[in-house]
Amino acid sequence: MTHYKLALLGFGNVGRALAQLLMRKRTELKERYGITYSVTGIATGRHGYAINPSGIDLDGALDLFRTGRTLDLLSKVKVSNSLDFIRQCGADVLFENSPVNYETGQPAIDHVRTALELGMHVATANKGTVVHAYHELKALASQKGRKFFFESTVMDGAPIFSLFRGALPGAQLKAFRAILNSTTNLILTRMENGDTFDGAVKYAQEIGIAETDPSGDIDGWDAAIKVAALATVLMDIPLKPQDIDRTGIREVTPAMIAAAKAEGKRYKLICTAEKDGTSVRGKVAPELVPLTSPFASVEGTTSIIEFQTDVLGNLTLIENDPGPHTTAYGLLADFINAVT
Amino acid sequence: MTHYKLALLGFGNVGRALAQLLMRKRTELKERYGITYSVTGIATGRHGYAINPSGIDLDGALDLFRTGRTLDLLSKVKVSNSLDFIRQCGADVLFENSPVNYETGQPAIDHVRTALELGMHVATANKGTVVHAYHELKALASQKGRKFFFESTVMDGAPIFSLFRGALPGAQLKAFRAILNSTTNLILTRMENGDTFDGAVKYAQEIGIAETDPSGDIDGWDAAIKVAALATVLMDIPLKPQDIDRTGIREVTPAMIAAAKAEGKRYKLICTAEKDGTSVRGKVAPELVPLTSPFASVEGTTSIIEFQTDVLGNLTLIENDPGPHTTAYGLLADFINAVT
């Protein structure tokens, strides 16, 4: 039996889902993997910091959060900021779930770097760390004999990175094709059913899928950062979101969608990457997909990715109904894989 | 750098594809995994046995096979039968690819047992070993500190077993739904396009997909053995093909198929399993699938499986265009995973 001290940096939807999943899986972790754990630190964005070397009561922390009180009430230690939190939390594993910064990857990169330097394993759902610092952080982790894992950065908790790390040894990824952004997928579906572009955007905002400024989704930036992350890790060629040939869905008109529907086709925002020697061509653009393709069956927040390798026929993964709980599972899987 | 001596028992389409893949991946195995290898034994069904402790020239072996000569010409040792071959081949890893015996799993089970007892890792594409002796062989492997892997028994080389072994830690498989038999899939597609049942069977035989006696496919036995193998390993509850509630496709008439087509649906031979406490209900039966489902897009030899777990939304894998080369890849992946 091995005991691990865990710290949660970020206690939003994903962080709280992770706390619940950890509680639900406590017995299974013990029986299947010989793992026991205590959570010695929780850092929130606006509800303070808690550090307790003897372990924080997760139900108590969730309750404080729910009732709008500060987690400082649970802390044995005074914490001044997130880096101070990492230095004082005394954890073996840091779950890094601060908000994504698409342009610089900060402050998440500093969080990961600090934790690795202190000898912690790190699991993160933050794409910024992968597209802006993958090679540096991977090298640092390796030098420290620790793991830097990030399964939840693309397609939530669906096993993408771990698939190539373990289940597909000796396979070379040559290309992939995917639908990775749910907001645009939802907007295009609404437009097929007669809604206008603006109406569909408004609907996506109302149900909480699209941001107040929806341009990150609509102009393809979210899809581009995911293509960059996948290419950087799985094809081992660093790629930035700006390197992606990117077209959003603003130019797709209701008339184009109706014409496509009449020929039995659907518009989807398709992500592709193709490796060519030592370079990768990445692209995000609306494409017509025939109804006979599994890509046409992808609705709402569901994601799909088709991998082309040198050893198998095309291999496709579809993840249905992702959410904070599936992102949380990806983080738990990273933890288990890091320590077993 | 670690050197492994390999033995190939079975030199049919899959065994020969494996020999070719091993040659193609020689440099990559060395550079990525620090693995070098020599093939010290090849056992064929009707072209003799070759054992050479210094390593067999694979091109030479393939050439002898192609020109109908016996591999005995390459042997330094006289071999009397397959068990004798295993005892004398001196390998660290046995690739077991003898023909499947659905009823007893023999002689493949004896092959695997003998190899494990001699301290070899075993990778097999033979379903019979899994449904008839999984728990025994797994325990024996564990006792000997060796691996018994069988990725290629279901969906060829697509990562199914390794997905749950490594990429989905802490996940409980609750149910799955799949199309796993290509012959019936092809027959149903031909019937949708106007062919009769008998005509479609004949076509499948002509292109080499269906056996001379096609009842193993048509009556759902092949699908049932795959359901049994998946349930036995992934749900950890032993299930035999006879335990599966099995209906083949003989009762599906052209009139039923035409009526389904008119409503935008397709008949598929669907495999399902559902875990309920300590038991599993397995079923193979024709079902109507709506065209909006990814199951409807599965054509020809393509396979699909949808997993329902306690931690993710439904996760679906589709494998396109499998063949002997993808089965061979599953065996190579098992080898790499066994020794790294």
Side-chain angles (χ1 to χ4, degrees):
Chain A
M1 204 65 64
T2 315
H3 188 82
Y4 294 94
K5 286 178 275 182
L6 314 179
L8 279 59
L9 200 173
F11 206 53
N13 290 332
V14 170
R16 298 198 306 282
L18 177 61
Q20 275 154 344
L21 184 62
L22 282 166
M23 288 190 282
R24 176 156 77 82
K25 291 283 182 181
R26 190 183 285 275
T27 307
E28 193 181 335
L29 285 171
K30 204 163 161 177
E31 290 176 356
R32 270 179 83 177
Y33 301 99
I35 292 173
T36 60
Y37 72 84
S38 52
V39 173
T40 58
I42 300 177
T44 76
R46 280 175 305 211
H47 293 74
Y49 300 92
I51 290 181
N52 185 341
S54 325
I56 296 165
D57 169 37
L58 290 176
D59 277 319
L62 288 165
D63 195 50
L64 282 181
F65 188 93
R66 200 162 31 233
T67 52
R69 284 174 291 166
T70 174
L71 269 67
D72 291 354
L73 295 169
L74 296 173
S75 199
K76 301 287 182 198
V77 177
K78 172 92 189 114
V79 178
S80 56
N81 59 47
S82 55
L83 288 178
D84 183 40
F85 168 82
I86 297 169
R87 288 194 196 98
Q88 294 202 73
C89 68
D92 306 303
V93 180
L94 178 74
F95 295 102
E96 206 291 334
N97 293 302
S98 65
V100 177
N101 178 321
Y102 290 106
E103 275 162 42
T104 67
Q106 289 293 15
I109 293 171
D110 284 342
H111 297 161
V112 176
R113 193 188 287 123
T114 304
L116 289 171
E117 275 169 357
L118 289 164
M120 302 179 197
H121 298 291
V122 178
T124 183
N126 192 311
K127 289 180 275 290
T129 63
V130 178
V131 293
H132 291 290
Y134 169 66
H135 284 93
E136 177 212 326
L137 296 173
K138 193 188 163 199
L140 176 60
S142 163
Q143 183 200 322
K144 295 285 179 179
R146 292 298 179 270
K147 300 293 184 188
F148 165 53
F149 284 164
F150 39 79
E151 189 56 87
S152 293
T153 55
V154 180
M155 280 176 79
D156 312 272
I160 303 294
F161 297 110
S162 56
L163 189 75
F164 280 87
R165 211 168 55 223
L168 290 174
Q172 303 278 357
L173 181 60
K174 291 157 70 178
F176 63 80
R177 182 176 159 82
I179 299 174
L180 298 173
N181 179 267
S182 50
T183 302
T184 47
N185 207 36
L186 181 67
I187 291 171
L188 293 170
T189 305
R190 297 281 298 182
M191 289 174 74
E192 279 172 352
N193 297 331
D195 205 346
T196 60
F197 177 78
D198 291 338
V201 170
K202 195 157 166 257
Y203 173 79
Q205 286 168 327
E206 276 164 13
I207 64 165
I209 301 273
E211 313 270 334
T212 317
D213 173 5
S215 57
D217 292 320
I218 290 169
D219 294 329
W221 281 112
D222 174 72
I225 197 171
K226 288 171 177 166
V227 171
L230 289 167
T232 299
V233 179
L234 301 182
M235 293 169 162
D236 205 25
I237 292 178
L239 211 62
K240 293 270 184 288
Q242 306 87 286
D243 301 332
I244 310 291
D245 175 3
R246 181 184 44 78
T247 309
I249 61 163
R250 288 189 200 268
E251 310 297 316
V252 181
T253 64
M256 288 161 69
I257 287 178
K261 201 173 171 184
E263 319 173 28
K265 293 185 177 169
R266 307 185 73 178
Y267 274 100
K268 294 286 179 189
L269 187 65
I270 300 290
C271 303
T272 54
E274 217 169 309
K275 192 170 176 176
D276 184 9
T278 54
S279 72
V280 177
R281 272 176 303 146
K283 188 176 170 187
V284 171
E287 277 185 30
L288 279 175
V289 173
L291 289 185
T292 49
S293 157
F295 278 68
S297 71
V298 170
E299 301 280 1
T301 56
T302 295
S303 300
I304 184 169
I305 187 160
E306 181 185 67
F307 294 111
Q308 190 190 328
T309 66
D310 66 332
V311 287
L312 289 174
N314 286 356
L315 185 70
T316 303
L317 253 87
I318 304 174
E319 186 197 24
N320 277 86
D321 307 321
H325 65 291
T326 61
T327 305
Y329 168 69
L331 291 161
L332 177 74
D334 280 346
F335 164 43
I336 300 174
N337 279 329
V339 303
T340 54
Chain B
M1 204 64 66
T2 314
H3 188 84
Y4 293 94
K5 285 178 275 180
L6 314 178
L8 278 60
L9 200 173
F11 206 53
N13 290 332
V14 170
R16 298 200 304 284
L18 177 61
Q20 275 154 343
L21 184 62
L22 282 166
M23 289 190 283
R24 175 156 79 81
K25 290 283 182 182
R26 189 183 284 275
T27 308
E28 193 180 336
L29 285 171
K30 205 162 158 176
E31 291 175 357
R32 270 179 84 177
Y33 300 99
I35 292 173
T36 59
Y37 72 86
S38 53
V39 173
T40 58
I42 299 176
T44 77
R46 281 176 305 212
H47 293 74
Y49 300 93
I51 289 180
N52 184 340
S54 328
I56 296 165
D57 168 38
L58 289 175
D59 277 320
L62 288 164
D63 194 53
L64 281 180
F65 189 94
R66 198 162 31 234
T67 52
R69 285 174 290 167
T70 174
L71 268 66
D72 292 353
L73 295 169
L74 296 174
S75 200
K76 301 286 181 199
V77 176
K78 173 90 188 118
V79 178
S80 55
N81 58 47
S82 55
L83 289 178
D84 183 40
F85 168 82
I86 296 168
R87 288 192 197 98
Q88 294 202 72
C89 68
D92 306 303
V93 181
L94 178 73
F95 295 101
E96 205 291 335
N97 293 301
S98 65
V100 178
N101 178 323
Y102 291 104
E103 277 161 42
T104 66
Q106 290 291 15
I109 293 170
D110 284 342
H111 296 161
V112 176
R113 193 188 287 122
T114 305
L116 290 171
E117 275 167 357
L118 289 163
M120 301 179 198
H121 298 292
V122 178
T124 183
N126 192 312
K127 289 180 274 292
T129 62
V130 178
V131 293
H132 292 290
Y134 169 66
H135 285 93
E136 177 212 326
L137 296 173
K138 193 189 164 198
L140 177 60
S142 163
Q143 181 199 323
K144 293 286 178 178
R146 293 296 181 271
K147 300 292 184 189
F148 165 53
F149 283 164
F150 38 78
E151 189 58 85
S152 294
T153 55
V154 180
M155 280 177 77
D156 312 274
I160 303 294
F161 297 109
S162 56
L163 190 75
F164 281 86
R165 210 167 56 224
L168 291 174
Q172 302 278 357
L173 182 60
K174 292 158 69 178
F176 63 82
R177 181 177 161 80
I179 300 174
L180 299 172
N181 180 266
S182 51
T183 302
T184 47
N185 208 35
L186 181 67
I187 291 169
L188 292 170
T189 305
R190 297 282 297 183
M191 289 173 74
E192 279 173 349
N193 297 329
D195 206 346
T196 60
F197 178 79
D198 291 338
V201 171
K202 194 156 168 258
Y203 173 80
Q205 288 168 325
E206 277 165 12
I207 64 164
I209 301 273
E211 313 269 334
T212 316
D213 172 5
S215 57
D217 291 320
I218 290 167
D219 294 329
W221 280 113
D222 174 72
I225 196 171
K226 288 171 179 165
V227 172
L230 289 168
T232 300
V233 179
L234 299 182
M235 294 170 162
D236 205 26
I237 292 178
L239 211 65
K240 293 269 185 287
Q242 305 88 283
D243 301 330
I244 311 293
D245 176 4
R246 182 184 45 76
T247 310
I249 61 162
R250 286 188 202 270
E251 311 296 316
V252 182
T253 64
M256 286 161 69
I257 286 177
K261 200 174 170 181
E263 325 172 22
K265 291 184 177 170
R266 307 185 72 177
Y267 274 101
K268 296 284 178 189
L269 187 66
I270 300 290
C271 302
T272 55
E274 218 168 311
K275 193 170 177 176
D276 184 8
T278 55
S279 74
V280 177
R281 274 176 302 146
K283 188 176 169 187
V284 171
E287 277 186 31
L288 279 175
V289 173
L291 289 185
T292 49
S293 158
F295 279 69
S297 71
V298 170
E299 301 280 1
T301 56
T302 296
S303 299
I304 186 170
I305 188 159
E306 181 185 65
F307 294 110
Q308 191 190 326
T309 66
D310 67 333
V311 286
L312 289 174
N314 286 355
L315 185 71
T316 304
L317 253 86
I318 305 174
E319 186 197 23
N320 277 86
D321 307 319
H325 65 292
T326 61
T327 306
Y329 169 68
L331 292 160
L332 177 74
D334 281 347
F335 163 43
I336 299 174
N337 280 328
V339 303
T340 54

